[in-house]
Amino acid sequence: MGSLQGQNVVVVGGSRGVGRAIVETVLSEGATVLAVARGTEPLQELSWEHPRVKTLAADATQDTAPEAVFAALQPDVLVICAGALAPSAPIPEQNWEDFSANWDMDVKASFLFCKAALQGRLKPGSRVVLISSGAALSGGPPNSGGYSGAKRMQMFLAAHSQREADRLGLGLRFMALVPMRIMAGTGVGQHGITGVSAYLGISPADFLASMTDVQTPADVGRAVVTLAGGRLQGVSFTVSGSGLAAAA
């Protein structure tokens, strides 16, 4: 029997890349899974390959998104993995829309769902996991606009939400999970690899060869399962090729 048998898991941003890996991992652990994404075609492909996965097409940045998602499946574990592609141009070549893309997507979606949880939409014992990025700790490359700041804000938001949940006696867990390296084979990862290597003036292959201790999307999925168990103390965690650890 899987460790999530009898648990409802909602993955916002669950149709592709890391989000899809999380969906597949929690599904293998026996969870009832709802994958949420804006695009209907990737959701259809997911449901064809995994008929037990429930799907919902919704824009996680809309104020009504949490209500629609929770009506479709009330989660024991809520994972926010939705995110925009980071800019890939030097700051002088960006406009504010480019620079703030990850604030308007990643942070806004996290804010709306954390707010709904703190307003009593999740039952006591529920766990919320925000998927951040190693750029939140390293600062990221200088051509990535507001990406690193947005991912750091997700870590702050998890900590702020946890303190508020404790103050209100809600019995909720909020956590941020930080994959430490860019992951090839994902949309966000490939976009980042292309942009950073071009900025540095090296080939994508050479950029990838320079990285060590790289986690896979499946590693992120397994880390989510561990955090969903609720036994680890703390709010922010990293996952790399070496495994899951408390964030420094």
Side-chain angles (χ1 to χ4, degrees), residues 47-120:
S47 63
W48 290 334
E49 294 184 29
H50 301 283
R52 290 197 294 120
V53 175
K54 304 175 186 294
T55 61
L56 176 68
D59 182 347
T61 66
Q62 295 297 307
D63 290 349
T64 57
E67 181 180 355
V69 169
F70 297 158
L73 185 69
Q74 186 68 24
D76 299 290
V77 180
L78 171 64
V79 183
I80 307 299
C81 193
L85 296 177
S88 58
I91 289 175
E93 298 176 16
Q94 297 177 35
N95 56 36
W96 177 248
E97 184 178 0
D98 299 328
F99 187 88
S100 63
N102 298 102
W103 286 85
D104 290 336
M105 179 65 190
D106 309 40
V107 177
K108 186 176 182 181
S110 297
F111 165 76
L112 290 174
F113 279 88
C114 287
K115 176 182 176 180
L118 292 169
Q119 289 176 327

Short mmCIF file of all heavy atoms in Angstrom, two decimals, residues 47-120:
data_model
loop_
_atom_site.label_atom_id
_atom_site.label_comp_id
_atom_site.label_asym_id
_atom_site.label_seq_id
_atom_site.Cartn_x
_atom_site.Cartn_y
_atom_site.Cartn_z
N SER A 47 -4.38 12.61 -19.04
CA SER A 47 -5.49 11.71 -18.68
C SER A 47 -5.51 10.47 -19.55
O SER A 47 -5.93 9.40 -19.09
CB SER A 47 -6.82 12.46 -18.77
OG SER A 47 -7.09 12.88 -20.09
N TRP A 48 -5.06 10.59 -20.80
CA TRP A 48 -4.98 9.41 -21.66
C TRP A 48 -3.94 8.42 -21.12
O TRP A 48 -4.16 7.21 -21.12
CB TRP A 48 -4.61 9.80 -23.09
CG TRP A 48 -5.71 10.52 -23.81
CD1 TRP A 48 -7.05 10.44 -23.57
CD2 TRP A 48 -5.55 11.46 -24.90
NE1 TRP A 48 -7.75 11.27 -24.42
CE2 TRP A 48 -6.86 11.91 -25.25
CE3 TRP A 48 -4.45 11.96 -25.59
CZ2 TRP A 48 -7.08 12.83 -26.27
CZ3 TRP A 48 -4.66 12.87 -26.60
CH2 TRP A 48 -5.97 13.30 -26.94
N GLU A 49 -2.81 8.95 -20.68
CA GLU A 49 -1.73 8.09 -20.19
C GLU A 49 -2.00 7.60 -18.77
O GLU A 49 -1.52 6.53 -18.38
CB GLU A 49 -0.40 8.84 -20.25
CG GLU A 49 0.06 9.15 -21.67
CD GLU A 49 1.42 9.80 -21.70
OE1 GLU A 49 2.23 9.53 -20.79
OE2 GLU A 49 1.69 10.59 -22.64
N HIS A 50 -2.73 8.40 -18.00
CA HIS A 50 -3.02 8.03 -16.60
C HIS A 50 -4.50 8.25 -16.34
O HIS A 50 -4.90 9.30 -15.79
CB HIS A 50 -2.18 8.87 -15.64
CG HIS A 50 -0.70 8.73 -15.83
ND1 HIS A 50 0.01 7.63 -15.38
CD2 HIS A 50 0.21 9.55 -16.45
CE1 HIS A 50 1.29 7.77 -15.70
NE2 HIS A 50 1.43 8.92 -16.34
N PRO A 51 -5.34 7.29 -16.73
CA PRO A 51 -6.79 7.48 -16.63
C PRO A 51 -7.29 7.75 -15.21
O PRO A 51 -8.38 8.32 -15.05
CB PRO A 51 -7.35 6.15 -17.17
CG PRO A 51 -6.26 5.60 -18.03
CD PRO A 51 -4.98 6.01 -17.38
N ARG A 52 -6.54 7.37 -14.19
CA ARG A 52 -6.99 7.60 -12.81
C ARG A 52 -6.80 9.05 -12.36
O ARG A 52 -7.34 9.45 -11.32
CB ARG A 52 -6.25 6.67 -11.85
CG ARG A 52 -6.64 5.21 -11.98
CD ARG A 52 -6.21 4.41 -10.76
NE ARG A 52 -4.75 4.33 -10.63
CZ ARG A 52 -4.06 4.77 -9.60
NH1 ARG A 52 -4.67 5.38 -8.60
NH2 ARG A 52 -2.75 4.63 -9.58
N VAL A 53 -6.04 9.84 -13.13
CA VAL A 53 -5.80 11.23 -12.76
C VAL A 53 -7.00 12.08 -13.17
O VAL A 53 -7.42 12.06 -14.33
CB VAL A 53 -4.52 11.77 -13.42
CG1 VAL A 53 -4.36 13.26 -13.13
CG2 VAL A 53 -3.30 11.01 -12.92
N LYS A 54 -7.54 12.84 -12.23
CA LYS A 54 -8.58 13.81 -12.54
C LYS A 54 -7.90 15.07 -13.06
O LYS A 54 -6.78 15.39 -12.65
CB LYS A 54 -9.39 14.14 -11.28
CG LYS A 54 -10.03 12.94 -10.60
CD LYS A 54 -10.70 13.35 -9.30
CE LYS A 54 -11.21 12.15 -8.52
NZ LYS A 54 -12.30 11.47 -9.24
N THR A 55 -8.56 15.79 -13.94
CA THR A 55 -7.96 17.00 -14.49
C THR A 55 -8.94 18.17 -14.42
O THR A 55 -10.16 17.98 -14.42
CB THR A 55 -7.53 16.80 -15.96
OG1 THR A 55 -8.66 16.49 -16.77
CG2 THR A 55 -6.50 15.69 -16.08
N LEU A 56 -8.38 19.36 -14.36
CA LEU A 56 -9.18 20.59 -14.35
C LEU A 56 -8.40 21.67 -15.08
O LEU A 56 -7.25 21.96 -14.72
CB LEU A 56 -9.47 21.03 -12.91
CG LEU A 56 -10.22 22.37 -12.76
CD1 LEU A 56 -11.65 22.24 -13.29
CD2 LEU A 56 -10.20 22.83 -11.31
N ALA A 57 -9.03 22.26 -16.09
CA ALA A 57 -8.42 23.40 -16.79
C ALA A 57 -8.81 24.67 -16.05
O ALA A 57 -10.00 25.00 -15.95
CB ALA A 57 -8.89 23.44 -18.24
N ALA A 58 -7.83 25.37 -15.52
CA ALA A 58 -8.09 26.60 -14.76
C ALA A 58 -6.84 27.45 -14.74
O ALA A 58 -5.72 26.93 -14.75
CB ALA A 58 -8.52 26.26 -13.33
N ASP A 59 -7.03 28.76 -14.69
CA ASP A 59 -5.93 29.71 -14.57
C ASP A 59 -5.71 29.98 -13.09
O ASP A 59 -6.56 30.59 -12.43
CB ASP A 59 -6.28 30.99 -15.32
CG ASP A 59 -5.15 32.02 -15.30
OD1 ASP A 59 -4.20 31.87 -14.52
OD2 ASP A 59 -5.25 33.00 -16.07
N ALA A 60 -4.58 29.53 -12.57
CA ALA A 60 -4.32 29.62 -11.12
C ALA A 60 -4.12 31.04 -10.64
O ALA A 60 -4.06 31.28 -9.43
CB ALA A 60 -3.09 28.78 -10.77
N THR A 61 -4.00 32.00 -11.56
CA THR A 61 -3.82 33.39 -11.15
C THR A 61 -5.15 34.15 -11.05
O THR A 61 -5.15 35.33 -10.72
CB THR A 61 -2.89 34.14 -12.11
OG1 THR A 61 -3.50 34.25 -13.40
CG2 THR A 61 -1.55 33.44 -12.23
N GLN A 62 -6.25 33.48 -11.33
CA GLN A 62 -7.55 34.11 -11.19
C GLN A 62 -8.02 34.02 -9.74
O GLN A 62 -7.81 33.00 -9.07
CB GLN A 62 -8.58 33.44 -12.11
CG GLN A 62 -8.27 33.60 -13.59
CD GLN A 62 -8.30 35.05 -14.03
OE1 GLN A 62 -9.28 35.76 -13.80
NE2 GLN A 62 -7.21 35.50 -14.66
N ASP A 63 -8.67 35.07 -9.25
CA ASP A 63 -9.11 35.09 -7.86
C ASP A 63 -10.04 33.93 -7.53
O ASP A 63 -10.10 33.48 -6.38
CB ASP A 63 -9.83 36.40 -7.55
CG ASP A 63 -8.88 37.60 -7.52
OD1 ASP A 63 -7.64 37.38 -7.54
OD2 ASP A 63 -9.37 38.74 -7.50
N THR A 64 -10.78 33.45 -8.52
CA THR A 64 -11.74 32.36 -8.30
C THR A 64 -11.12 30.97 -8.40
O THR A 64 -11.81 29.97 -8.19
CB THR A 64 -12.89 32.46 -9.32
OG1 THR A 64 -12.33 32.44 -10.65
CG2 THR A 64 -13.69 33.75 -9.13
N ALA A 65 -9.82 30.89 -8.73
CA ALA A 65 -9.19 29.59 -8.95
C ALA A 65 -9.24 28.67 -7.74
O ALA A 65 -9.60 27.49 -7.87
CB ALA A 65 -7.75 29.78 -9.42
N PRO A 66 -8.89 29.13 -6.53
CA PRO A 66 -8.93 28.21 -5.39
C PRO A 66 -10.32 27.60 -5.17
O PRO A 66 -10.45 26.39 -4.91
CB PRO A 66 -8.52 29.09 -4.21
CG PRO A 66 -7.64 30.13 -4.82
CD PRO A 66 -8.30 30.43 -6.14
N GLU A 67 -11.37 28.41 -5.31
CA GLU A 67 -12.72 27.90 -5.13
C GLU A 67 -13.03 26.80 -6.14
O GLU A 67 -13.58 25.76 -5.79
CB GLU A 67 -13.73 29.04 -5.26
CG GLU A 67 -15.18 28.62 -5.07
CD GLU A 67 -16.15 29.78 -5.21
OE1 GLU A 67 -15.69 30.93 -5.34
OE2 GLU A 67 -17.37 29.53 -5.17
N ALA A 68 -12.67 27.04 -7.40
CA ALA A 68 -12.93 26.04 -8.44
C ALA A 68 -12.14 24.77 -8.21
O ALA A 68 -12.66 23.65 -8.38
CB ALA A 68 -12.59 26.64 -9.81
N VAL A 69 -10.89 24.91 -7.81
CA VAL A 69 -10.03 23.74 -7.59
C VAL A 69 -10.53 22.93 -6.40
O VAL A 69 -10.67 21.70 -6.46
CB VAL A 69 -8.57 24.18 -7.38
CG1 VAL A 69 -7.72 23.01 -6.88
CG2 VAL A 69 -7.99 24.73 -8.68
N PHE A 70 -10.83 23.59 -5.29
CA PHE A 70 -11.26 22.86 -4.09
C PHE A 70 -12.64 22.23 -4.28
O PHE A 70 -12.95 21.22 -3.64
CB PHE A 70 -11.26 23.79 -2.89
CG PHE A 70 -9.90 24.33 -2.53
CD1 PHE A 70 -9.77 25.49 -1.78
CD2 PHE A 70 -8.75 23.69 -2.94
CE1 PHE A 70 -8.52 26.00 -1.45
CE2 PHE A 70 -7.48 24.18 -2.62
CZ PHE A 70 -7.38 25.35 -1.88
N ALA A 71 -13.46 22.81 -5.17
CA ALA A 71 -14.75 22.19 -5.48
C ALA A 71 -14.56 20.91 -6.28
O ALA A 71 -15.35 19.96 -6.16
CB ALA A 71 -15.63 23.17 -6.26
N ALA A 72 -13.49 20.87 -7.10
CA ALA A 72 -13.23 19.68 -7.91
C ALA A 72 -12.65 18.55 -7.07
O ALA A 72 -12.97 17.37 -7.29
CB ALA A 72 -12.28 20.03 -9.06
N LEU A 73 -11.78 18.88 -6.11
CA LEU A 73 -11.21 17.87 -5.20
C LEU A 73 -10.68 18.59 -3.97
O LEU A 73 -9.81 19.46 -4.09
CB LEU A 73 -10.09 17.08 -5.87
CG LEU A 73 -9.51 15.92 -5.03
CD1 LEU A 73 -10.54 14.80 -4.91
CD2 LEU A 73 -8.22 15.38 -5.63
N GLN A 74 -11.18 18.23 -2.81
CA GLN A 74 -10.71 18.83 -1.57
C GLN A 74 -9.39 18.16 -1.18
O GLN A 74 -9.36 16.98 -0.89
CB GLN A 74 -11.74 18.64 -0.46
CG GLN A 74 -11.42 19.35 0.84
CD GLN A 74 -11.50 20.87 0.71
OE1 GLN A 74 -12.17 21.40 -0.15
NE2 GLN A 74 -10.78 21.57 1.57
N PRO A 75 -8.28 18.92 -1.19
CA PRO A 75 -6.98 18.26 -1.02
C PRO A 75 -6.59 18.03 0.44
O PRO A 75 -6.88 18.84 1.31
CB PRO A 75 -6.01 19.24 -1.67
CG PRO A 75 -6.66 20.58 -1.47
CD PRO A 75 -8.14 20.35 -1.52
N ASP A 76 -5.92 16.91 0.66
CA ASP A 76 -5.14 16.71 1.88
C ASP A 76 -3.75 17.30 1.68
O ASP A 76 -3.12 17.77 2.62
CB ASP A 76 -5.02 15.22 2.20
CG ASP A 76 -6.38 14.58 2.45
OD1 ASP A 76 -6.99 14.87 3.48
OD2 ASP A 76 -6.81 13.79 1.58
N VAL A 77 -3.28 17.23 0.43
CA VAL A 77 -1.98 17.79 0.05
C VAL A 77 -2.20 18.67 -1.18
O VAL A 77 -2.75 18.21 -2.18
CB VAL A 77 -0.95 16.70 -0.26
CG1 VAL A 77 0.39 17.31 -0.65
CG2 VAL A 77 -0.79 15.74 0.91
N LEU A 78 -1.77 19.91 -1.08
CA LEU A 78 -1.88 20.86 -2.19
C LEU A 78 -0.48 21.27 -2.62
O LEU A 78 0.30 21.77 -1.80
CB LEU A 78 -2.67 22.09 -1.75
CG LEU A 78 -2.72 23.29 -2.71
CD1 LEU A 78 -3.43 22.92 -4.00
CD2 LEU A 78 -3.39 24.48 -2.03
N VAL A 79 -0.16 21.06 -3.90
CA VAL A 79 1.16 21.40 -4.43
C VAL A 79 0.98 22.50 -5.47
O VAL A 79 0.22 22.34 -6.43
CB VAL A 79 1.84 20.18 -5.07
CG1 VAL A 79 3.24 20.56 -5.57
CG2 VAL A 79 1.91 19.01 -4.10
N ILE A 80 1.67 23.62 -5.28
CA ILE A 80 1.62 24.71 -6.25
C ILE A 80 2.92 24.69 -7.05
O ILE A 80 3.99 25.04 -6.55
CB ILE A 80 1.45 26.08 -5.56
CG1 ILE A 80 0.25 26.06 -4.62
CG2 ILE A 80 1.30 27.18 -6.62
CD1 ILE A 80 -1.07 25.77 -5.29
N CYS A 81 2.81 24.26 -8.30
CA CYS A 81 3.98 24.11 -9.17
C CYS A 81 3.84 24.96 -10.44
O CYS A 81 4.68 24.89 -11.32
CB CYS A 81 4.15 22.63 -9.54
SG CYS A 81 5.73 22.22 -10.29
N ALA A 82 2.78 25.75 -10.50
CA ALA A 82 2.55 26.57 -11.69
C ALA A 82 3.59 27.67 -11.77
O ALA A 82 3.94 28.27 -10.76
CB ALA A 82 1.15 27.18 -11.64
N GLY A 83 4.07 27.94 -12.97
CA GLY A 83 5.08 28.99 -13.11
C GLY A 83 5.26 29.44 -14.54
O GLY A 83 5.07 28.66 -15.48
N ALA A 84 5.62 30.70 -14.68
CA ALA A 84 5.91 31.26 -15.99
C ALA A 84 7.37 31.00 -16.37
O ALA A 84 8.21 30.74 -15.50
CB ALA A 84 5.64 32.77 -15.98
N LEU A 85 7.65 31.08 -17.65
CA LEU A 85 9.04 31.01 -18.10
C LEU A 85 9.75 32.29 -17.68
O LEU A 85 9.21 33.39 -17.81
CB LEU A 85 9.11 30.86 -19.62
CG LEU A 85 8.53 29.57 -20.20
CD1 LEU A 85 8.60 29.61 -21.72
CD2 LEU A 85 9.25 28.34 -19.67
N ALA A 86 10.95 32.15 -17.15
CA ALA A 86 11.72 33.32 -16.76
C ALA A 86 12.18 34.08 -17.99
O ALA A 86 12.37 33.50 -19.07
CB ALA A 86 12.94 32.89 -15.94
N PRO A 87 12.37 35.41 -17.87
CA PRO A 87 12.95 36.15 -18.99
C PRO A 87 14.34 35.61 -19.32
O PRO A 87 14.97 34.95 -18.49
CB PRO A 87 13.06 37.58 -18.43
CG PRO A 87 12.10 37.64 -17.30
CD PRO A 87 12.07 36.26 -16.72
N SER A 88 14.80 35.88 -20.52
CA SER A 88 16.15 35.45 -20.90
C SER A 88 16.81 36.54 -21.72
O SER A 88 17.26 36.33 -22.84
CB SER A 88 16.12 34.14 -21.69
OG SER A 88 15.31 34.27 -22.84
N ALA A 89 16.84 37.73 -21.13
CA ALA A 89 17.47 38.88 -21.79
C ALA A 89 18.10 39.76 -20.72
O ALA A 89 17.65 39.78 -19.58
CB ALA A 89 16.43 39.67 -22.58
N PRO A 90 19.16 40.47 -21.06
CA PRO A 90 19.75 41.40 -20.10
C PRO A 90 18.72 42.43 -19.64
O PRO A 90 17.78 42.76 -20.36
CB PRO A 90 20.88 42.06 -20.89
CG PRO A 90 21.18 41.10 -22.00
CD PRO A 90 19.89 40.45 -22.34
N ILE A 91 18.90 42.95 -18.43
CA ILE A 91 17.93 43.89 -17.86
C ILE A 91 17.62 45.06 -18.79
O ILE A 91 16.45 45.44 -18.94
CB ILE A 91 18.42 44.37 -16.47
CG1 ILE A 91 18.32 43.22 -15.47
CG2 ILE A 91 17.61 45.56 -15.99
CD1 ILE A 91 18.87 43.54 -14.10
N PRO A 92 18.62 45.68 -19.46
CA PRO A 92 18.28 46.82 -20.33
C PRO A 92 17.35 46.46 -21.48
O PRO A 92 16.72 47.35 -22.06
CB PRO A 92 19.64 47.29 -20.85
CG PRO A 92 20.63 46.78 -19.87
CD PRO A 92 20.07 45.47 -19.38
N GLU A 93 17.26 45.18 -21.80
CA GLU A 93 16.42 44.76 -22.92
C GLU A 93 15.04 44.28 -22.47
O GLU A 93 14.20 43.90 -23.30
CB GLU A 93 17.12 43.65 -23.71
CG GLU A 93 18.44 44.09 -24.33
CD GLU A 93 19.18 42.95 -25.01
OE1 GLU A 93 18.55 41.91 -25.27
OE2 GLU A 93 20.38 43.11 -25.29
N GLN A 94 14.80 44.27 -21.15
CA GLN A 94 13.51 43.84 -20.63
C GLN A 94 12.61 45.03 -20.38
O GLN A 94 13.07 46.13 -20.10
CB GLN A 94 13.69 43.08 -19.31
CG GLN A 94 14.48 41.79 -19.40
CD GLN A 94 14.67 41.14 -18.04
OE1 GLN A 94 13.79 41.21 -17.19
NE2 GLN A 94 15.83 40.54 -17.84
N ASN A 95 11.30 44.80 -20.46
CA ASN A 95 10.34 45.76 -19.95
C ASN A 95 9.76 45.21 -18.65
O ASN A 95 10.11 44.10 -18.23
CB ASN A 95 9.24 46.07 -20.98
CG ASN A 95 8.50 44.80 -21.43
OD1 ASN A 95 8.29 43.88 -20.65
ND2 ASN A 95 8.10 44.77 -22.69
N TRP A 96 8.91 45.99 -18.00
CA TRP A 96 8.42 45.54 -16.70
C TRP A 96 7.58 44.27 -16.82
O TRP A 96 7.62 43.40 -15.94
CB TRP A 96 7.60 46.65 -16.02
CG TRP A 96 7.04 46.18 -14.71
CD1 TRP A 96 5.73 45.96 -14.40
CD2 TRP A 96 7.78 45.80 -13.54
NE1 TRP A 96 5.61 45.48 -13.11
CE2 TRP A 96 6.86 45.38 -12.57
CE3 TRP A 96 9.15 45.78 -13.23
CZ2 TRP A 96 7.23 44.95 -11.29
CZ3 TRP A 96 9.53 45.34 -11.96
CH2 TRP A 96 8.59 44.93 -11.01
N GLU A 97 6.85 44.12 -17.91
CA GLU A 97 6.05 42.91 -18.10
C GLU A 97 6.95 41.68 -18.15
O GLU A 97 6.63 40.64 -17.56
CB GLU A 97 5.23 43.02 -19.38
CG GLU A 97 4.29 41.83 -19.60
CD GLU A 97 3.45 41.98 -20.85
OE1 GLU A 97 3.60 43.01 -21.54
OE2 GLU A 97 2.67 41.07 -21.14
N ASP A 98 8.08 41.80 -18.84
CA ASP A 98 9.04 40.69 -18.88
C ASP A 98 9.59 40.41 -17.47
O ASP A 98 9.60 39.26 -17.01
CB ASP A 98 10.22 41.02 -19.79
CG ASP A 98 9.81 41.26 -21.23
OD1 ASP A 98 8.84 40.64 -21.68
OD2 ASP A 98 10.47 42.09 -21.89
N PHE A 99 10.06 41.47 -16.83
CA PHE A 99 10.73 41.34 -15.54
C PHE A 99 9.83 40.73 -14.47
O PHE A 99 10.29 39.96 -13.63
CB PHE A 99 11.24 42.71 -15.09
CG PHE A 99 12.09 42.67 -13.85
CD1 PHE A 99 13.46 42.47 -13.95
CD2 PHE A 99 11.54 42.83 -12.59
CE1 PHE A 99 14.26 42.43 -12.82
CE2 PHE A 99 12.33 42.78 -11.45
CZ PHE A 99 13.69 42.58 -11.57
N SER A 100 8.55 41.08 -14.51
CA SER A 100 7.64 40.68 -13.43
C SER A 100 6.84 39.42 -13.73
O SER A 100 5.95 39.05 -12.96
CB SER A 100 6.67 41.82 -13.13
OG SER A 100 5.85 42.10 -14.26
N ALA A 101 7.15 38.73 -14.82
CA ALA A 101 6.34 37.58 -15.24
C ALA A 101 6.17 36.54 -14.15
O ALA A 101 5.07 36.00 -13.94
CB ALA A 101 6.95 36.94 -16.49
N ASN A 102 7.23 36.24 -13.44
CA ASN A 102 7.15 35.20 -12.41
C ASN A 102 6.46 35.69 -11.14
O ASN A 102 5.92 34.89 -10.38
CB ASN A 102 8.54 34.65 -12.09
CG ASN A 102 9.17 34.00 -13.31
OD1 ASN A 102 10.02 34.58 -13.96
ND2 ASN A 102 8.71 32.80 -13.65
N TRP A 103 6.46 36.98 -10.91
CA TRP A 103 5.67 37.53 -9.81
C TRP A 103 4.19 37.42 -10.13
O TRP A 103 3.37 37.08 -9.26
CB TRP A 103 6.07 38.98 -9.55
CG TRP A 103 7.40 39.09 -8.87
CD1 TRP A 103 8.63 39.09 -9.47
CD2 TRP A 103 7.64 39.16 -7.47
NE1 TRP A 103 9.61 39.16 -8.53
CE2 TRP A 103 9.03 39.21 -7.29
CE3 TRP A 103 6.81 39.19 -6.35
CZ2 TRP A 103 9.62 39.29 -6.03
CZ3 TRP A 103 7.38 39.27 -5.09
CH2 TRP A 103 8.77 39.32 -4.94
N ASP A 104 3.83 37.71 -11.39
CA ASP A 104 2.43 37.70 -11.77
C ASP A 104 1.87 36.29 -11.90
O ASP A 104 0.65 36.11 -11.85
CB ASP A 104 2.25 38.43 -13.11
CG ASP A 104 2.47 39.92 -12.99
OD1 ASP A 104 2.31 40.45 -11.87
OD2 ASP A 104 2.82 40.57 -14.00
N MET A 105 2.72 35.29 -12.04
CA MET A 105 2.27 33.90 -12.16
C MET A 105 2.61 33.09 -10.92
O MET A 105 1.75 32.70 -10.15
CB MET A 105 2.88 33.26 -13.41
CG MET A 105 2.47 31.80 -13.60
SD MET A 105 0.71 31.64 -13.90
CE MET A 105 0.49 29.88 -13.78
N ASP A 106 3.88 32.83 -10.71
CA ASP A 106 4.31 31.94 -9.63
C ASP A 106 3.87 32.46 -8.26
O ASP A 106 3.29 31.73 -7.45
CB ASP A 106 5.84 31.79 -9.63
CG ASP A 106 6.41 31.43 -10.99
OD1 ASP A 106 5.94 31.97 -12.00
OD2 ASP A 106 7.35 30.62 -11.04
N VAL A 107 4.18 33.73 -8.00
CA VAL A 107 3.88 34.29 -6.68
C VAL A 107 2.38 34.50 -6.51
O VAL A 107 1.81 34.19 -5.46
CB VAL A 107 4.64 35.61 -6.45
CG1 VAL A 107 4.25 36.22 -5.11
CG2 VAL A 107 6.14 35.37 -6.50
N LYS A 108 1.72 35.02 -7.54
CA LYS A 108 0.29 35.27 -7.41
C LYS A 108 -0.49 33.99 -7.16
O LYS A 108 -1.37 33.94 -6.29
CB LYS A 108 -0.26 36.00 -8.64
CG LYS A 108 -1.71 36.41 -8.46
CD LYS A 108 -2.24 37.21 -9.64
CE LYS A 108 -3.68 37.64 -9.39
NZ LYS A 108 -4.25 38.40 -10.55
N ALA A 109 -0.19 32.94 -7.91
CA ALA A 109 -0.89 31.67 -7.70
C ALA A 109 -0.64 31.15 -6.28
O ALA A 109 -1.56 30.70 -5.60
CB ALA A 109 -0.44 30.64 -8.73
N SER A 110 0.61 31.22 -5.83
CA SER A 110 0.93 30.76 -4.47
C SER A 110 0.17 31.59 -3.44
O SER A 110 -0.38 31.06 -2.46
CB SER A 110 2.44 30.87 -4.23
OG SER A 110 3.15 30.02 -5.10
N PHE A 111 0.15 32.91 -3.63
CA PHE A 111 -0.56 33.80 -2.71
C PHE A 111 -2.05 33.47 -2.64
O PHE A 111 -2.62 33.35 -1.54
CB PHE A 111 -0.37 35.25 -3.15
CG PHE A 111 -1.32 36.21 -2.50
CD1 PHE A 111 -1.15 36.61 -1.18
CD2 PHE A 111 -2.41 36.71 -3.21
CE1 PHE A 111 -2.05 37.48 -0.58
CE2 PHE A 111 -3.30 37.59 -2.62
CZ PHE A 111 -3.12 37.97 -1.29
N LEU A 112 -2.69 33.31 -3.79
CA LEU A 112 -4.13 33.06 -3.79
C LEU A 112 -4.49 31.76 -3.07
O LEU A 112 -5.45 31.72 -2.30
CB LEU A 112 -4.65 33.03 -5.24
CG LEU A 112 -4.65 34.36 -5.99
CD1 LEU A 112 -5.06 34.14 -7.44
CD2 LEU A 112 -5.59 35.36 -5.32
N PHE A 113 -3.70 30.71 -3.30
CA PHE A 113 -4.03 29.42 -2.67
C PHE A 113 -3.66 29.41 -1.19
O PHE A 113 -4.38 28.83 -0.38
CB PHE A 113 -3.37 28.28 -3.44
CG PHE A 113 -4.13 27.89 -4.67
CD1 PHE A 113 -3.90 28.51 -5.88
CD2 PHE A 113 -5.11 26.91 -4.61
CE1 PHE A 113 -4.62 28.18 -7.03
CE2 PHE A 113 -5.83 26.55 -5.74
CZ PHE A 113 -5.60 27.20 -6.96
N CYS A 114 -2.55 30.05 -0.82
CA CYS A 114 -2.23 30.15 0.60
C CYS A 114 -3.28 30.98 1.34
O CYS A 114 -3.70 30.63 2.45
CB CYS A 114 -0.84 30.76 0.80
SG CYS A 114 0.52 29.67 0.37
N LYS A 115 -3.71 32.06 0.73
CA LYS A 115 -4.75 32.90 1.34
C LYS A 115 -6.02 32.10 1.55
O LYS A 115 -6.64 32.16 2.63
CB LYS A 115 -5.02 34.10 0.44
CG LYS A 115 -6.15 35.00 0.93
CD LYS A 115 -6.40 36.15 -0.05
CE LYS A 115 -7.59 37.00 0.39
NZ LYS A 115 -7.85 38.11 -0.55
N ALA A 116 -6.44 31.34 0.53
CA ALA A 116 -7.65 30.53 0.66
C ALA A 116 -7.51 29.49 1.77
O ALA A 116 -8.45 29.25 2.54
CB ALA A 116 -7.97 29.85 -0.67
N ALA A 117 -6.33 28.88 1.86
CA ALA A 117 -6.10 27.90 2.93
C ALA A 117 -6.22 28.55 4.29
O ALA A 117 -6.84 27.99 5.22
CB ALA A 117 -4.73 27.26 2.76
N LEU A 118 -5.67 29.75 4.44
CA LEU A 118 -5.70 30.45 5.72
C LEU A 118 -7.09 31.00 6.05
O LEU A 118 -7.37 31.31 7.21
CB LEU A 118 -4.68 31.59 5.72
CG LEU A 118 -3.22 31.15 5.69
CD1 LEU A 118 -2.31 32.34 5.41
CD2 LEU A 118 -2.82 30.47 6.99
N GLN A 119 -7.93 31.09 5.05
CA GLN A 119 -9.31 31.52 5.27
C GLN A 119 -10.23 30.36 5.64
O GLN A 119 -11.44 30.54 5.74
CB GLN A 119 -9.84 32.24 4.03
CG GLN A 119 -9.21 33.61 3.81
CD GLN A 119 -9.68 34.27 2.53
OE1 GLN A 119 -9.95 33.59 1.53
NE2 GLN A 119 -9.78 35.59 2.54
N GLY A 120 -9.64 29.18 5.82
CA GLY A 120 -10.42 28.04 6.29
C GLY A 120 -10.90 27.10 5.22
O GLY A 120 -11.73 26.22 5.50
#
